[in-house]
Amino acid sequence: MTEATTSIRPERAPRARETAAALRAVRVIRRARSEGRSRGDVAYAVYAGVMVAAIVVAPILRTIVLYLAEPAASAVLVAVGPAVSATVFALGCAAFVALGGVRGPALLSPFLTFAVAGNGHPRRRTMARPVARAVLALAVAGAAVALLVALVLVSVGSASVGGAVAFAGAGALVGVVCGGCWVLGQRASAAVRAAIVSGVLASWALWAAAPGVSAVLPWAWIAAVFPAGDVLSLGQSLALGALGVLAAAALAAIPLLLDGLRGPALLAQAQRWQAAGTLAFTGDLAMAMGEFRAVPRRGRGLKALGRGGGRRGGGLVGVFARRDLVGSLRTPARFVLACAGCLGFGLLIAVAVGASGVAVWIAACAAAIVGFLALGVWSDGFRHAAEVAAAPPLYGVSTLRLIGLHAVLPVLGGVVFSVIGVVVGAVLSGLAPWSVAPWSLALWHFALWPAFAAAVLGVLLLVLVRIYDSTKGPLPQELMAPVPTPAGDASALVVAAWQADAVILSCVLVGVMAASVAGGSIGGVLAAVGLGVVVGWMTRRRILVR
């Protein structure tokens, strides 16, 4: 699809009936080519979804509800619920704007995209079906999450049924607004997306700093609707109405945004996602994720070696640290996400260390996943070292030493930003250094040292897991063999476990370590370190085999 193709327009705009007839003809051709899903495929997908929801999702939701219904947890939920709701709304809008540049809601197969986007029919009609499905899914998901929280508060007597229904409706409206942000992100350019995301985050920071002054922001509206008390107040009704107006504005703007989508951009997204889906179906998730890795476009003037060809400033350690840093700076968005992810890792570690019971494991596993994903930005050197393991040593160093040199940046960056995240968590919890007397600053640092130690040790363990994951290689063919069981073929579970082994290892290592620090025990920390040593030995064995 060329730009010339999309610039051709008929003398008059096609009527809605003509567009519907054209879409029906395209679907008939697609079914004749056997590219679409049959009724049997749809029925099987519905059956599989229902079974997964009944077997996996329902027990998890039940556990969450029972935990939140406990007196201590419900008290915390009532106290932090409005702030968390506003934060989730703001971050969701920013995330969907950013996601639109990678995968927008107006996405079809390459054939359908070429057929419906390469003609003169308005895209508000040709792309209406996938966008409507996406917005409806977000609205249902928002309502379900809000209703789950509201029902917990109703069960413990902290909210009324009317407040719960209003909050569920607010969740649906939030989903509609996020859907509009998603379409906006797909329509806007990269610079506009960055400006919108920065503006959303700045407005959220303004609301967090001065909630009373910034009551006109949408984040304050969802916080005001959070169910509390026996009667739905006038302020909650006004906030709900404001969210309804915002959702209506988003729905009204979606057709205009769809008409502005460019055909080549739509086709490029469709082809990229089709290639990623094919790679994921074959079990190569690394290559599938590589389809969406940002291409370096900035920082061409940055010197990766520095003066003297890299012979100064710390020897090989400094050379590789600077080279990896410059490489990550050439994709600024990924670099910012890595820093933010490590900050979030430190904050969640602080929450895990200060929590008790099941909350420790929930926060620790969330921290492990966030930290593992964030360190992936600085782990490109590990992947390069694994790829050249079988080749002659071009840099004059062995593969093991090359991996060690590439580990400098993720370790330093992860430790620095995770420690800052721990401090941010302490400040948000009210334990700020300026809120204590000068003579007790030493006690403040002493109170935080377990969280600092857990954050530093967690980063080291996650870097080990990152190295282990980088040396994994392609999916072994023997794992694709069928595994007959009374419940059916379990080979898909084997492949899924092989693909997710790094994430599972991260959750186990960080979870054991955080639970031990929270409980004041050293045995779990030693066990986590021992598991880390085992992961390192397995990584070394993989490298030597390659």
Side-chain angles (χ1 to χ4, degrees):
M1 182 183 300
T2 62
E3 191 67 37
T5 304
T6 58
S7 62
I8 298 176
R9 290 292 182 269
E11 295 181 357
R12 64 174 180 84
R15 297 186 178 91
R17 185 176 300 176
E18 297 173 351
T19 302
L23 291 177
R24 282 196 299 269
V26 170
R27 295 189 187 101
V28 169
I29 296 174
R30 187 190 182 201
R31 283 195 296 268
R33 296 176 52 172
S34 300
E35 290 189 0
R37 291 183 178 180
S38 63
R39 294 181 179 178
D41 295 337
V42 175
Y44 179 76
V46 173
Y47 165 76
V50 171
M51 294 301 294
V52 170
I55 298 174
V56 179
V57 178
I60 294 176
L61 292 179
R62 180 178 179 274
T63 303
I64 294 175
V65 169
L66 291 178
Y67 174 74
L68 293 178
E70 295 180 359
S74 61
V76 174
L77 182 62
V78 171
V80 304
V84 172
S85 302
T87 302
V88 170
F89 186 18
L91 295 182
C93 290
F96 276 105
V97 170
L99 179 62
V102 180
R103 199 276 189 196
L107 184 71
L108 298 170
S109 66
F111 168 75
L112 285 179
T113 301
F114 188 88
V116 304
N119 51 39
H121 295 278
R123 295 196 174 99
R124 67 172 63 193
R125 299 174 188 166
T126 57
M127 292 292 179
R129 179 175 291 188
V131 173
R133 284 198 299 260
V135 174
L136 180 61
L138 289 176
V140 171
V145 173
L147 184 61
L148 178 67
V149 175
L151 290 179
V152 172
L153 295 177
V154 171
S155 65
V156 298
S158 299
S160 62
V161 176
V165 174
F167 190 60
L173 296 175
V174 166
V176 173
V177 174
C178 289
C181 293
W182 199 2
V183 181
L184 176 62
Q186 189 175 13
R187 170 64 180 87
S189 62
V192 174
R193 280 195 300 271
I196 294 174
V197 170
S198 301
V200 169
L201 296 179
S203 64
W204 169 78
L206 175 63
W207 173 85
V213 180
S214 55
V216 296
L217 296 174
W219 334 129
W221 303 341
I222 187 64
V225 183
F226 191 83
D230 298 331
V231 182
L232 189 65
S233 64
L234 177 61
Q236 289 176 318
S237 302
L238 293 176
L240 185 61
L243 284 175
V245 172
L246 184 62
L251 289 176
I254 285 177
L256 301 176
L257 295 173
L258 289 179
D259 286 340
L261 294 176
R262 296 175 59 250
L266 289 172
L267 187 59
Q269 277 198 4
Q271 291 173 339
R272 188 184 307 118
W273 275 89
Q274 186 183 56
T278 302
L279 291 170
F281 181 77
T282 58
D284 197 346
L285 288 184
M287 290 294 294
M289 296 300 295
E291 290 288 329
F292 307 103
R293 189 167 293 130
V295 179
R297 300 182 184 275
R298 301 181 183 273
R300 294 184 180 275
L302 297 176
K303 296 181 179 179
L305 295 180
R307 295 182 178 180
R311 292 186 294 270
R312 306 173 186 173
L316 279 179
V317 175
V319 168
F320 277 83
R322 179 176 181 135
R323 175 260 179 206
D324 291 339
L325 179 61
V326 170
S328 62
L329 287 174
R330 292 201 59 200
T331 52
R334 294 182 71 219
F335 183 82
V336 172
L337 287 177
C339 298
C342 290
L343 280 171
F345 170 77
L347 193 151
L348 289 171
I349 284 293
V351 172
V353 171
S356 61
V358 184
V360 176
W361 283 94
I362 295 175
C365 290
I369 295 173
V370 171
F372 178 80
L373 295 176
L375 290 177
V377 178
W378 294 325
S379 300
D380 291 337
F382 298 150
R383 290 185 282 270
H384 169 258
E387 290 174 357
V388 302
L394 300 179
Y395 302 100
V397 295
S398 63
T399 303
L400 291 175
R401 189 183 178 193
L402 185 62
I403 289 178
L405 292 171
H406 282 300
V408 174
L409 177 64
V411 168
L412 291 180
V415 167
V416 170
F417 285 102
S418 63
V419 168
I420 295 175
V422 171
V423 175
V424 171
V427 171
L428 292 178
S429 64
L431 189 62
W434 54 81
S435 64
V436 298
W439 58 268
S440 61
L441 277 178
L443 295 178
W444 181 81
H445 289 289
F446 180 77
L448 287 184
W449 80 262
F452 287 144
V456 172
L457 182 57
V459 168
L460 296 178
L461 293 174
L462 290 179
V463 169
L464 272 177
V465 176
R466 265 293 172 186
I467 299 173
Y468 169 81
D469 185 62
S470 300
T471 59
K472 183 161 54 176
L475 176 69
Q477 293 298 320
E478 54 268 21
L479 295 183
M480 301 294 290
V483 182
T485 65
D489 187 10
S491 59
L493 298 178
V494 177
V495 175
W498 186 87
Q499 295 286 1
D501 60 347
V503 177
I504 296 173
L505 274 175
S506 301
C507 293
V508 171
L509 292 174
V510 176
V512 170
M513 180 268 301
S516 300
V517 174
S521 172
I522 196 66
V525 176
L526 295 178
V529 173
L531 289 175
V533 172
V534 173
V535 172
W537 174 80
M538 293 169 62
T539 304
R540 181 177 181 275
R541 188 168 176 268
R542 279 182 172 180
I543 295 172
L544 294 179
V545 169
R546 297 186 68 172

